[in-house]
Amino acid sequence: MTVAVELQRGLSATYHPGSQVWVPVVETVSGATADGTNKRQVTHWRRAVVQGVHKQPSGEPLLDVVTEDEQEMAGLPAGSCCLQNERDDTVDDLVKSDFLHEPGILHTLQVRYGLDSIYTYSGNILIAANPHKRLRQLYGPRMMAQYRGVPLGELSPHVYAIAEQAYSAMMVDESRQAILVSGESGAGKTESAKMVMQYLAHRAMPAHGQHQHASTSLSRSTSNAQAAAGGHGGSGLESAPVEEQVLESNPLLEAFGNAKTSRNDNSSRFGKFVEIDFDAGGRVTGASISTYLLERSRVVSIKAPERSYHIFYQLCAGAAEEQRVELGLEGGASFFRYLNQSDVYTLTDVDDAQEFRHTLEAMRIVGLQQHHVDAVLRAVAGVLHLGNVDFSMSSRDEAVVAGGQSIVALETAARLFGVSDLGLEAALTTRAIVTRGERIVKRLDTAAAAESRDALAKTLYARLFDWLVAAINMKINSLGSGERAAAGEARRSIGILDIYGFESFDSNSFEQLCINLANERLQQQFNAHVFKGEQEEYAREGIAWSYIDFVDNQDCLDLLEGGTASLGVFPLIDEACRLPRATYQDLAHTLRTRLAGAPRFAAPRRQQHAFIVDHYAGEVCYSAQHLMDKNKDFVVAEHAHLLGSSSLPIIRELFAPDAAAAASGGAAADSLTAAAGSELPSPRHSNDGGKGRRSAFMLSSVGARFRKQLGGLMGILGQCQPHFIRCVKPNPLSQPGSLVPEYVLEQLRAGGVLEAVRIACAGFPTRKPFRPFAQRYSLLLPEAASSGGVKQNSGKALPLTASGFIDWFALEEGQVADLSRRILYASQLDGWQLGKSRVFLRAGQLAQLEGARGRRLATAAVRVQAAWRGMEARRQLREARAAVLAIQAAWRGHQGRGAALHMRRDRAAVRVQATWRMHRQRSAFQLQRRSRAATTLQSYVRMRQQRRRFLRDTELGKKQAARAAEEAARGAAAVTIQAGVRRLLARKKAEQLRREAAKLRALTEQRDGLLVAREELSAALAAALLRAERAEGEAASLKAQVASLSSELESAQLQLRSAQAAAAEAVSAASASAAVVAQAATAAELEAAHKRVEGALQSEVEVMRQRVAAKDQQQQQLEGEVKELQAQVRGKREQLEAVIAAGQEKEKENAKLWEQVKAYAEDHQREFAAKDAALAALQAEMAATSAGLRQEAESLSQQVTQQEQALRQQMAAQQAELQARLEAQAGEVAAAEEARVAALRQSQEKTTHLSARVVALSSRQQRLEEDLRASQAREAALQEELAAAKRNAALLQRSPSKISALSAPLASRTLSQQFESAGIPAMPGGQALGEQRAAAVLALKQAAVERRLPMVSVPLGTAGPPLAIPLASWLLCESLIRWAASWQQAEIDAAVDTLQRAIVDAADSGGIHGQAYWLARSLAAGGLLKFRTIGLKAGGHLLRLGDQLINCQSVHEALGDSIAEALTVNVAVLLSAEAKRAARRGQTPALDESPGGKGGPPQSPWQALLGSVSNVLDTLRVEGVPAPAVRAVAWACLRYIDGELLNALLLRRDCCSVSAAKALQAGLAELRGWAAYVGGEWCCSAEEAEGAIERVTQAARYLVQGKEDSVRKALRDVDIYADLARSCPSLSLQQVYKLTEHQHDDWIVAASSGRESIALLETLRRLMAEQRARSGAAAGQANGGSALQLAGQEEEEEEDTLLVDPREAFVLPRKSVTEAARCFVQPPPPATGSGASTPARPIASAAATPSTPTPADGSSPLRARTLSSAPRLPNGTLPASAVAAAVASPAHAPSMLSLLDRISKACLGAQLPAELLDQPEFEFLADGGKA
């Protein structure tokens, strides 16, 4: 039975119409098979929907389905189809799927891979699909920090989760762990193993060191890469920590052991097991590396498109010029025969030269000296030259070295190996046979000589690789596993196995046989581990599991290795190798005959020299042709003798005379016995006392040695708790974003994932929690029970909601379990069991439940449809009846209206006929009347015509005609005159414009000439002055340009004025033309008789018009030229032409227009005159008013002054009287008031925060107890490390960067210890201090830093209550100021450095109280130092020192780390099932008067968290930290909680459900209520709190509603970017994408399906791609960076946009700490709001409040309330910030000098440390500060 059938058995009776299934489609393709038929069948799976179910006569059901491409398939057996997982396609654990079968697994992996979710769990197994692209958002220090301490399964699947599980199990169980990484070539095994090692190195660092230096140990140092590439540079061996050495061993081994294959560009050609040791504190102490089965044949033989090992190409490409000459690498990689067998010399996106530098740097880090590196490179180059040695046949048929290049290659190889060329030639071409009596030397032929050459190259490279492994092991100082086990010590270690996966090719040989043997052994352990896990799961849940069978593959192992009664494949191969004349045909015959009865063995018919082994992953056909040759691991005695005498120590030790006897020890044994007491590690040691072998060949079996190594490895793994990572290559072409299901299925089968699923299916593959199970399948109960009406077996009714359904969130666990049992009984299933928390179903039973549920839903749907159809039919009937009645009524109305209309038309026709007859008779009568009137009119017209004719013939008519002709002549003359005048004016204007244009051209030419001359002069001067005064020449040219532009401006202004004058002339010409017209009219009247002149004048007018037109054309040409030269004149000329044209067209209206213009001008003049008069009157009035106001103001000022003096006298009298009374009652009232205030404050604090603090402190106590136990275990190791660090101090002082040694500080160390361990002396300037001054600094450190000094009360008199100043801060400030006057700068620096170190040590060792104490003291010291040094001689240096104290980042970071440890944001508790049920019921726990409630326990986990925040703020207040700094810390706490919650949502799928989001919203509401309760004085305001938690608020809102809205819009192709920017402005697209991927609806509402969510995810991916493209284009345009740089920036941005760093919130802003420091020395005016010191997102508009007015006498009620309610310090005084807020009248506040004097007097009057008074440097303390 196939695996597919096993995975879905029992499903045949569960299908119904509408079921979604997977349908198999079998296709026969060409491909290699074990039997040699080259035809194999591939099964593809398609989505389909069941259309019908019918049965065969035998009873087997058949299905009729329709596939997703609308193809109908009928008669499919139900047993071959699989049900689909309909609810969730992106489940992160395959075990959580409803159905475990091949198509479901493949579909889930394909969907997740398309969403860049490359990691998927299968129980405790991690499946990692190679993305073939960089996904930087999945890795990095931030992601590592999120998985720190988190159990497996709580966050998204990741390789870090597996590493964390192994680390936690190691620390808890104190046992050895092993992480097994497997997969085929190109699946990403090496990268996964490196990520595991990186995480373990990160995990071994303390949290404090990780926060400060997250990526130091993970990055490759490049400071000495150039020196290393050049072959020189210091060793720097002691500067690299163990973690970095272990990590840097990866690129070194990759360079020598990885190569390009047809499947992978960086394929590991060896197996590797890295075991990292840890101490009791979890820190890395050492490691060991074991390697297995290096592919030696790749050194001498490769084929396209593969490459040999990377180191060959790196050496040829990256060697320096002198190295190339020395090693003979001038020809490049294509010159060597071992490399040019393939035409591939470079890799895509890989620079071999750069990788060579990285390899050299890795050699330096792991501890190889420079002469070691040179020797290794010489050996590698020698192997390349050895391959270029060719042989030819001599006359005696003997092999000799061919001439030319072969001789040169032989000499070069001999020189590099440190041997003679003749000896090397003899070792390659001869063999010595030792008999009993003589020694015979035999000459080899060319084939044997070539084989000898290749054997030497392979052996040398393999032993060199083993030597490197041994050197790495010796450096990282790790003992072997056998020695540890023998010593009986408990070993805390984690092993990482990176080994080749199962291989099956077209042609399989000895390498595949060994690899598959290893995989069979690993699969046996894997099966046992999975079976054991199943047993533990069943035992934990109380499930009977004894009947579950465990299928073992021991029979396959017996076939390969041999059992107790028979031989196996490997023993038979070894036996054949021992026979001198055995051939591969004999071996094949032996295998076929002696293993014919084995169940896992088969012999193909077509291939006579091959055999088939049935492995767990399938049948593999092996060829026997090269098995014997590859199994013989012989070492030629001549080779060993020659290279054993080499001048190079490495090669000499590799081929020592006694090396052959230990050759069977293997690479792992070599690593463990490396160089005991020797400088160079030797991978071979003799065990036979130096006795040599007599034969020429020293034979050994590769298979036997490999099986021995494999047995040792399995022994180690048997002692470890295993963890599995199965790497998968998604497609054979290594293309990103493409997953081929059939290709992946073969890898899952080869990796044992399907075998693990089969084991799970053999028991109870389906495991559902009670509540989701009952919630989904409750409808299978009877009708009464499903609605809650039927009671349970206990008689208790099920709780119901308001709508009558079962309230699932109100059910108890017992009720849910009982309901689940009833559902299973009602379903009539057999074999199921109920555990303690889950339902366990056999294979196929869930499908039966789904089928029953589907049928029940289908029945219910039919009922609903029937009821709906009936209701719809009745509704349609009612509507039809109503419609019929309406139609009938309308038709009857229509008929009646038609009849009435017909009757109305008849009556109207009769009326029309009568009217028409009347009209016709009336028209005839009126026509007759009009004919008589026409006759009368005609007679009158004729009379008028005769009269007009008579008048025309008389004299009077003639005179009228003559007068009309004269008027016409006068008009023509006027036109002629006007044309002449305009012509003259135009000529004058054109001439003027010509002159101006000529002047302008002359000026331009002169300017150009001057510019040319000036440029030539500037050039000559520049040449004479050696180009030193180029700037002056440029300035001179600029000045010349300015001058020319000024002259142009002046000429333009002149032209403008001339144009204005021309316009005025045109206006005057218009007025003159009016006078000319009048004269012409008079002349025409006097000379009326001269009619003959009329024709002449008309002709002259025509001539003049033609001339005017010609002149106009000429004028237009001139105007075009002027227009090009001067733009301003062009505008004026156009205006002038417009005026002239208007004059020609309206010549008769000029006079009238002129009069209108004059009248308009006169009106304006009169209006302006009136306005001037009114303005003068107003000015006079204003002057009078101003004089009156001044007099009134002076009188009022005098009155105010008098009243103020009287009031001050009165207040002084009252103050004196009040002071006298207060002094009389001071003793009694002060004590009583202090006691009352203290008691009131204590009681208020207790009632407010007691309960919340108890919970927080109890949890913190437990955490501290655990830390104490761990720290006690780490104490001894710390002391040892400290001693070792002190011994290395001298060496580190010579290092270029001493601070780099602080890259990973330990949390338990103080800063001074870290500096001391790094080689930095405790006082860098200690030599500059004398004995007396050094003693003074030490005394000040002991008195003011190491001792906690009290606060000093500074009285402010009438300005307010006393001010609290830290005595320690004043001592530090005053001492530094006094010393600065007499000490040298170096001495001050030394003293400051000592004090700063002591402050950081005290803060680091004092916990949160000590850090809060020194936060307040550093702020006060910085503020005092800055204000005291104003005006001093050394003020500048002390001011900078004050800034350093105020912004003491070390104290701030330590405080942030302590707060982060105190604020445990446990998402599993905050979003627990109870919180989700409360959110489902809509019940939000109400807050009492205080966050902690009225003395009772907290109502929710959120209040415990808020209680921790209250404790932190209270600690800061008690230690005297000013309010601005406390508000900044409060904002940082909320921001830290916001970051932790957001990261949890991004990584935890269970936190992204609707119920969890609702619970999160309820918790955030509690947080807002707490912020509103605490208030804005010592906590951020409500608006600021909302801004601090904005990111998680937006994320929760998106999970509840925003995602569904986005899904609907994405399905309609609506742009969602604007909606996301509006609803989630603080979230990146990457974060929204991850929230969408994790979001799932556990709420009983309509939710989007998996396919709809996938559509939204694809839309978000497109938006992210567009955003990256836009940002990349913008960055490219702005910076001009290269494509690689832009890609790197995009990757970093992509990493930064997913997770956030919560600890960044604790970087206190400079503005807040500066304001806090100012509170100690400069009390500010009353605060206008708490939003002024918002750390990151200022909300000035929301936080600002109007200031409270203060009465003149200073007695403000607000001030009294502030003082009474303000918290006081332990000594009863108020902090400076409270006093500053209470001071209401600035007039009574002391001045700055007065305040500083009062502070000094108060501190000097306090109880000063006695040890300071005896020091000469502190005399200012003894004499009261007068010095």
Side-chain angles (χ1 to χ4, degrees), residues 1035-1319:
S1037 62
L1038 291 175
K1039 291 180 180 179
Q1041 293 178 6
V1042 170
S1044 62
L1045 292 175
S1046 300
S1047 62
E1048 291 178 3
L1049 179 61
E1050 292 176 0
S1051 62
Q1053 291 175 354
L1054 291 175
Q1055 293 174 5
L1056 179 60
R1057 286 194 294 271
S1058 63
Q1060 292 175 354
E1065 291 176 2
V1067 174
S1068 62
S1071 61
S1073 64
V1076 172
V1077 170
Q1079 294 176 4
T1082 305
E1085 291 177 356
L1086 295 176
E1087 298 178 359
H1090 301 117
K1091 298 180 180 178
R1092 293 176 296 180
V1093 182
E1094 182 177 357
L1097 290 175
Q1098 291 179 355
S1099 62
E1100 185 178 357
V1101 167
E1102 293 296 330
V1103 173
M1104 293 299 292
R1105 286 179 179 176
Q1106 294 177 359
R1107 292 180 179 177
V1108 170
K1111 294 299 183 180
D1112 291 338
Q1113 183 177 2
Q1114 184 178 4
Q1115 184 178 359
Q1116 291 178 359
Q1117 294 178 356
L1118 294 175
E1119 289 173 356
E1121 295 177 356
V1122 174
K1123 186 185 299 183
E1124 295 177 355
L1125 296 175
Q1126 196 171 20
Q1128 296 179 356
V1129 177
R1130 178 179 58 194
K1132 294 299 181 178
R1133 184 175 64 252
E1134 291 176 356
Q1135 295 178 4
L1136 181 59
E1137 291 176 356
V1139 172
I1140 295 173
Q1144 290 177 356
E1145 295 175 356
K1146 299 180 180 179
E1147 55 186 4
K1148 295 181 180 181
E1149 299 176 1
N1150 285 337
K1152 185 177 179 179
L1153 291 175
W1154 175 248
E1155 294 297 332
Q1156 293 179 358
V1157 170
K1158 291 174 65 177
Y1160 184 72
E1162 290 175 357
D1163 293 340
H1164 273 280
Q1165 290 178 358
R1166 287 193 298 269
E1167 184 179 356
F1168 290 155
K1171 289 183 178 180
D1172 291 338
L1175 181 60
L1178 289 175
Q1179 290 177 353
E1181 184 179 356
M1182 288 176 60
T1185 304
S1186 177
L1189 290 176
R1190 282 197 298 270
Q1191 293 178 0
E1192 185 178 357
E1194 290 176 358
S1195 63
L1196 289 176
S1197 177
Q1198 293 177 0
Q1199 293 178 5
V1200 170
T1201 303
Q1202 294 175 359
Q1203 292 178 2
E1204 183 179 1
Q1205 292 177 357
L1207 184 60
R1208 286 184 178 180
Q1209 293 176 359
Q1210 183 179 0
M1211 289 176 60
Q1214 292 178 358
Q1215 184 177 2
E1217 182 179 359
L1218 181 62
Q1219 185 174 3
R1221 293 178 182 178
L1222 290 175
E1223 289 177 355
Q1225 300 176 0
E1228 300 176 359
V1229 176
E1233 184 67 18
E1234 290 179 357
R1236 185 182 64 81
V1237 171
L1240 179 62
R1241 174 177 173 274
Q1242 292 177 0
S1243 61
Q1244 182 180 4
E1245 291 179 351
K1246 288 181 180 179
T1247 57
T1248 302
H1249 303 294
L1250 182 58
S1251 59
R1253 290 187 62 185
V1254 167
V1255 175
L1257 290 175
S1258 62
S1259 60
R1260 185 179 179 186
Q1261 180 181 2
Q1262 296 176 359
R1263 196 162 56 250
L1264 291 176
E1265 289 176 355
E1266 295 176 358
D1267 295 341
L1268 179 60
R1269 290 192 293 269
S1271 62
Q1272 290 176 353
R1274 289 196 299 263
E1275 184 176 358
L1278 290 176
Q1279 295 296 333
E1280 295 175 0
E1281 183 178 355
L1282 180 60
K1286 288 183 178 179
R1287 289 193 299 269
N1288 297 332
L1291 181 60
L1292 288 175
Q1293 288 180 1
R1294 295 191 297 270
S1295 178
S1297 177
K1298 301 178 182 179
I1299 306 300
S1300 62
L1302 300 178
S1303 58
L1306 298 176
S1308 59
R1309 286 185 173 187
T1310 62
L1311 186 64
S1312 61
Q1313 291 174 345
Q1314 296 168 14
F1315 274 68
E1316 186 177 0
S1317 64

Side-chain angles (χ1 to χ4, degrees), residues 1354-1356 1370 1424 1426-1432 1721-1723 1789-1801:
V1354 180
L1356 299 179
W1370 181 84
L1424 291 171
K1426 290 188 67 174
F1427 282 90
R1428 286 293 307 273
T1429 54
I1430 296 176
L1432 296 181
V1721 292
Q1722 185 181 356
S1791 63
M1792 181 57 58
L1793 295 178
S1794 176
L1795 179 61
L1796 294 177
D1797 291 342
R1798 292 184 183 184
I1799 292 174
S1800 299
K1801 291 179 180 179

